[in-house]
Amino acid sequence: MSLLSLENVHSYYGHIHALKGISLTVEEGEIVTLIGANGAGKSTTLRSISGIIHPREGNITLNGKDISRMDPHLIVSEGIGHVPEGRGIFPKLTVMENLEIGAFILNDPIELERRLEYGFKLFPRLKERISQKGGTLSGGEQQMLAIARGLMLNPHILMLDEPSMGLSPMLVELIFDIIKTLNDNGTTILLVEQNALMALSVAHRGYVLQNGQIVIFDTAANLKNNEIVQQAYLGME
């Protein structure tokens, strides 16, 4: 049984048919990436999983449990963390307050402290800015905060939506090093990333979306060598 499974998922924004029968799986311990052009349905797939929008057709299961029509806060409590595109931090709250909100259902102060320390170990810069308001952080620091917040409930699967967006090449390298470290530490990751080459460099498998449908899926290594993927998404002639 897959950790996460989508079967024939159709999602809409009003009358716009955004996902047209998406089926995919994520196994425990994997990094799976979704690649495709803007508007292909990548972010919509993550929003459908996290309950921000509910599929009109199809099923989404986590560890065999149907979460297709659960409310978002219940899906979080089931073990899905979602770091949205644009980071979604609370700019007027401090780093610590942002992290504490990420642990909103955690009632054990000892466990809360343990998870805070794990986040600070991954992102030492956040500990240095613990009392600083989120909106005053740099773009890279805000992305670190968003990921650390997403880890506060120790999710079964962490979904990252465009984590490298707007970052310098040096910070992109750092963020992807962190993604690899998280996975090495046991976190399963579903990654949406415009930088397809970086995504495929850390992922185990990948799905290519086009107009709300999956058109190619394979191992990351095979996708990097696929001529269609190379020409359309990797900038190779």
Side-chain angles (χ1 to χ4, degrees):
M1 180 176 63
S2 299
L3 175 59
L4 177 71
S5 177
L6 280 69
E7 184 176 353
N8 193 34
V9 169
H10 293 256
S11 293
Y12 291 74
Y13 294 110
H15 297 297
I16 298 172
H17 195 175
L19 297 184
K20 305 168 183 175
I22 295 287
S23 294
L24 62 84
T25 59
V26 181
E27 307 298 332
E28 188 169 357
E30 282 192 308
I31 300 177
V32 173
T33 187
L34 309 180
I35 60 177
N38 288 334
K42 307 184 301 296
S43 294
T44 304
T45 300
L46 300 194
R47 292 180 188 129
S48 298
I49 295 167
S50 63
I52 297 171
I53 60 174
H54 290 147
R56 291 192 193 173
E57 299 177 46
N59 296 296
I60 302 171
T61 58
L62 180 69
N63 280 322
K65 182 175 183 177
D66 193 335
I67 62 169
S68 308
R69 279 123 195 121
M70 278 188 181
D71 290 336
H73 70 282
L74 295 176
I75 290 174
V76 169
S77 68
E78 289 291 332
I80 292 183
H82 185 182
V83 180
E85 181 180 351
R87 295 149 198 156
I89 65 163
F90 296 96
K92 294 185 178 180
L93 300 183
T94 66
V95 166
M96 176 61 86
E97 289 167 339
N98 269 275
L99 293 174
E100 288 174 340
I101 286 175
F104 70 100
I105 62 172
L106 190 62
N107 296 316
D108 183 343
I110 295 175
E111 183 63 15
L112 174 62
E113 187 64 27
R114 189 188 69 80
R115 293 183 188 181
L116 284 168
E117 285 306 313
Y118 179 59
F120 292 144
K121 182 178 178 181
L122 288 169
F123 303 108
R125 208 174 303 179
L126 294 181
K127 192 165 188 177
E128 297 169 6
R129 289 156 173 74
I130 196 167
S131 300
Q132 194 170 325
K133 290 188 176 180
T136 66
L137 301 176
S138 70
E141 290 164 348
Q142 288 185 18
Q143 187 63 69
M144 294 174 195
L145 178 57
I147 294 173
R149 188 184 63 188
L151 290 168
M152 285 300 292
L153 288 176
N154 194 25
H156 295 308
I157 181 167
L158 183 66
M159 303 193 302
L160 301 173
D161 195 349
E162 302 287 3
S164 76
M165 180 179 287
L167 301 184
S168 68
M170 184 183 302
L171 284 174
V172 170
E173 292 280 354
L174 174 61
I175 291 298
F176 274 89
D177 284 345
I178 290 294
I179 291 170
K180 186 70 170 62
T181 297
L182 287 173
N183 185 246
D184 290 343
N185 290 345
T187 302
T188 303
I189 295 171
L190 180 57
L191 171 66
V192 164
E193 177 54 54
Q194 195 70 25
N195 188 332
L197 187 59
M198 289 295 291
L200 292 173
S201 72
V202 298
H204 299 94
R205 294 188 298 116
Y207 294 83
V208 179
L209 275 68
Q210 191 176 85
N211 298 321
Q213 297 177 304
I214 291 170
V215 293
I216 306 172
F217 62 95
D218 209 332
T219 66
N222 286 345
L223 287 173
K224 279 201 288 189
N225 292 320
N226 183 294
E227 288 187 9
I228 295 172
V229 174
Q230 288 179 344
Q231 292 174 10
Y233 305 109
L234 304 183
M236 302 179 185
E237 298 297 333

